[in-house]
Amino acid sequence: MLSTPSDEAMAAETLALVDCNSFFASCERVFQPRLKNRPVIVLSNNDGCVVARTDEAKALGIPMGVAFFKVRDLVKKNGVHVFSSNFALYGDFSARVMKTLSGFTPELEIYSIDEAFLSLKGFESRSLTDYARSIREAVMQNVGIPVSIGLAPTKVLAKVANQVAKKKNGGVFDLSSQKTQDEVLNYFPVEDIWGVGRQSTEKLHRLGIRTAKQLRDAEPCFIQKILTVVGRRILDELKGTPCIRLEQESRNKKQMICSRSFGKPIYELSELKEAVACYVTRVAERLRGEKSVCNALQVFIQTNRFKEDAYFNITTLHFITGTSATPRLITAAHEGLERIYRSGYAYKKAGVILLDFTLENQKQLSLFDSEQQEADEKRMKIVDQINRKMGQDTVKMAACGTERAGPRSESRSPCYTTRWGDLLCVG
């Protein structure tokens, strides 16, 4: 048996996967009720690709991830409402959804910005389907976001149940019984199973395995041979044997990335430095939020990768002592940029990656710069406090510039919940 958690610890447990429906688009609808039952899409950074669609937009044949310019005529013809990404708004709504969910169980795993696994162990004395419906109603009442809930004994089956719940049963579907599992898995496509990627799908299709039931009923050792131990765990989970533990505490990240495509090409090193300084500022805030320091930093730049003279380069810089101080990280990033910058190119994208993390109370100290570093860290805590209270970038490094052009976002909605000036006025 390959299951990591003990069978005793996870026996007779029902998991609920709560997934927000068309999350980004649903957030936009909360403050614009007139958009209910109308097609809505949300675009990625720089208004490049479609990253969220309501059911009405899906019905028009707008694919997920498609470049916006390819569907612009379709959007205009059908009166589709288009929004640029507003991550400040979506992040705040996500926090509100998760806070509501935490009131229904002591065991909660926040899986992504719009998904969470809940353990319902101990609630078996009542109808879990009715309990799930009460969760769904509470999220709608408190936050205004519609959710779908799948119930099952394992995470993989809960994912399957959730996809069924999105299409029928009023947003809640229980996949706990063996009979129901046989019925659903018999028609559920193998490529839609959580954890089965494109290459694994191709391998399974060549073997004649096209449904979840066929994968579940296959020889376990054979599946492990062609899909490794990951495929074997998926098979066991489809059989109802828990193999993937509920993670109540977030794991320490191995890296943090902040990168953006520019709204227009950048040629000058000075402009690249301003952009990279802003990316460092964002990722350093996240690093301090996790009470960690990094011991290495990477910076990269690239031109349009579809052109013949495309250029990409990346460099790594190491620190003698770990740091989370924005000025020190910006200095390192600028040094890296000077190494890899080549004049004459039209740069389309740049980014910063922080690596090799240590908890801030466990970092290695140095005899030579400990006083300066301690002063930097105290200053950053004050800056973070001001920005949390007064709004992002109320205080920022001069290296970030004062009039730097941001990414293209022609249809971004106000930050209704996180910016005083964007508060909704009634009457």
Side-chain angles (χ1 to χ4, degrees), residues 256 280 283-285 287-288 291-297 317-332 354-360 363-364 369 372-374 376-377 380:
M256 290 184 183
V280 169
V283 76
E285 288 171 349
L287 184 65
R288 292 192 293 272
K291 300 187 183 304
S292 297
V293 297
C294 72
N295 294 286
L297 173 149
L317 300 99
H318 297 273
F319 302 105
I320 297 176
T321 58
T323 184
S324 63
T326 301
R328 191 175 177 192
L329 293 171
I330 289 177
T331 299
L354 303 186
L355 304 161
D356 191 9
F357 297 157
T358 306
L359 292 176
E360 62 181 12
K363 65 183 178 183
Q364 180 68 44
D369 65 353
Q372 179 61 44
Q373 186 167 331
E374 185 178 349
D376 287 341
E377 290 172 354
M380 295 319 303

Side-chain angles (χ1 to χ4, degrees), residues 39-221:
V40 176
I41 62 173
V42 178
L43 305 179
S44 62
N45 282 319
N46 282 308
D47 293 349
C49 302
V50 176
V51 295
R53 309 160 295 161
T54 59
D55 289 337
E56 296 80 7
K58 295 174 186 177
L60 294 173
I62 300 175
M64 177 65 104
V66 66
F68 180 55
F69 75 87
K70 292 184 178 181
V71 295
R72 193 185 298 273
D73 292 340
L74 179 63
V75 165
K76 185 176 181 180
K77 178 181 176 181
N78 292 277
V80 178
H81 295 266
V82 181
F83 290 92
S84 303
S85 294
N86 187 342
F87 293 112
L89 179 68
Y90 309 150
D92 187 60
F93 267 89
S94 175
R96 296 178 185 211
V97 169
M98 301 309 167
K99 183 177 180 180
T100 298
L101 296 180
S102 66
F104 286 89
T105 177
E107 299 181 48
L108 170 77
E109 175 189 342
I110 299 175
Y111 180 68
S112 68
I113 191 172
D114 61 348
E115 289 180 280
F117 287 100
L118 284 67
S119 171
L120 300 185
K121 191 173 183 179
F123 296 89
E124 293 84 3
S125 60
R126 61 192 303 173
S127 167
L128 292 185
T129 299
D130 290 343
Y131 193 57
R133 289 198 179 102
S134 66
I135 294 174
R136 193 169 185 269
E137 292 168 2
V139 174
M140 176 59 75
Q141 176 68 31
N142 296 348
V143 192
I145 299 293
V147 301
S148 297
I149 303 178
L151 302 170
T154 69
K155 280 187 171 182
V156 171
L157 285 174
K159 278 278 191 177
V160 173
N162 189 275
Q163 292 195 44
V164 177
K166 288 182 180 295
K167 301 175 182 178
K168 60 181 183 180
N169 282 45
V172 175
F173 189 75
D174 189 349
L175 197 58
S176 298
S177 74
Q178 186 64 51
K179 181 181 178 181
T180 307
Q181 291 173 22
D182 288 341
E183 292 174 354
V184 172
L185 299 183
N186 191 46
Y187 68 78
F188 196 84
V190 71
E191 59 268 25
D192 290 343
I193 299 173
W194 184 44
V196 176
R198 181 178 58 82
Q199 292 184 347
S200 295
T201 297
E202 292 174 356
K203 291 178 182 179
L204 293 171
H205 281 181
R206 286 197 293 267
L207 296 169
I209 299 175
R210 295 186 174 274
T211 69
K213 187 173 185 295
Q214 289 175 321
L215 175 59
R216 183 198 68 182
D217 296 339
E219 172 59 40
C221 293

Side-chain angles (χ1 to χ4, degrees), residues 28-29 32-40 56 81 83:
E28 300 291 353
R29 276 177 165 173
Q32 300 195 44
R34 65 186 177 84
L35 298 181
K36 185 178 181 180
N37 299 323
R38 295 186 181 183
V40 176
E56 296 80 7
H81 295 266
F83 290 92

Side-chain angles (χ1 to χ4, degrees), residues 262 300-305 311-313 346-350:
F262 305 129
F300 69 86
I301 49 176
Q302 70 179 59
T303 61
N304 189 328
R305 59 192 178 93
Y311 173 72
F312 170 85
N313 208 341
Y347 293 98
K348 185 66 177 175
K349 186 176 183 178

